[in-house]
Amino acid sequence: MTSEAVPTTVESFFASYRSAFERRDIPAIEEHFGDGVHVASDTGSGVHAQYVSRADWRRVIEQLVSQYQALDVATAEMRSLQLTSISDRLVQAHVLWALSSRSGSLLYEFAAAYTLACEGQRCRIVALAHDEIAQARRARRQGQETVDRGSP
C-alpha cells in the first residue's frame, strides 16, 4: 500500500468496523481482526495485557456486543483519527470514539490505538490498546450518581 493510499484505506476500514459494531454483526466484526491480537486495556484500576487467539477473541467480541446492547449503544462516531505509517504494510491508528444511545445522548468516549496489518486494500487489527473499560465504568458510575440524586 502506498503512503498516499493509507488514509483512504484506513478510513474505509474503520467505516466498515464501525458499521459492523452498529449492526452487532459478530462475524463481520471478527473479520476486522488478525488471527491473533495483542490487547492492552486500561481498566481504570490497572492495565491488563494479553495476547488473544482468534477463537478467544470471538468471545470477547460477543461480550462487548452484549454490553453495547445493554447500554443501548446505537452509534459509534470516530471523533478523530491520527495515522502513522510504520511501513508499506503496517499502520498505527489512534482513534477517539464516541458512543451514543438510540436517543442520541452521548454514553461515553474512549481512546484506542490500533496496529493494522494491511495487504492491498485489506487491513486487520493485530494489536489494540484502549481505555474503553475505564471510560465505560466511569460513565456507569456517573449515570448511577445521577439516578441516586433523582436527577432526570
Side-chain angles (χ1 to χ4, degrees):
M1 176 170 50
T2 66
S3 60
E4 295 81 29
V6 168
T8 302
T9 300
V10 173
E11 287 173 9
S12 294
F13 169 82
F14 280 114
S16 172
Y17 183 59
R18 177 191 51 75
S19 175
F21 265 106
E22 288 178 351
R23 293 188 323 270
R24 294 181 174 84
D25 185 341
I26 292 169
I29 297 167
E30 190 176 30
E31 285 302 311
H32 291 84
F33 290 88
D35 291 333
V37 61
H38 179 267
V39 182
S41 307
D42 180 345
T43 66
S45 58
V47 173
H48 179 77
Q50 62 184 339
Y51 180 81
V52 186
S53 70
R54 188 173 184 118
D56 289 337
W57 191 242
R58 181 180 182 94
R59 287 188 285 280
V60 172
I61 293 169
E62 289 169 346
Q63 290 171 350
L64 186 56
V65 166
S66 292
Q67 177 185 321
Y68 282 5
Q69 187 166 355
L71 292 171
D72 192 34
V73 173
T75 61
E77 177 189 351
M78 193 167 49
R79 295 250 169 112
S80 68
L81 172 64
Q82 298 173 340
L83 302 176
T84 302
S85 292
I86 298 168
S87 73
D88 290 344
R89 290 177 289 280
L90 286 173
V91 177
Q92 279 274 289
H94 295 258
V95 179
L96 177 62
W97 292 104
L99 302 182
S100 298
S101 69
R102 291 188 205 295
S103 68
S105 63
L106 176 67
L107 297 167
Y108 60 91
E109 293 180 330
F110 70 96
Y114 302 87
T115 300
L116 304 176
C118 301
E119 295 288 336
Q121 299 299 313
R122 181 178 178 181
C123 295
R124 296 288 176 259
I125 299 166
V126 296
L128 166 62
H130 66 89
D131 70 344
E132 183 173 11
I133 295 168
Q135 297 303 332
R137 286 178 177 167
R138 181 175 296 122
R140 282 195 296 272
R141 278 194 310 271
Q142 289 172 344
Q144 187 59 47
E145 289 171 7
T146 301
V147 169
D148 291 344
R149 282 183 269 147
S151 300

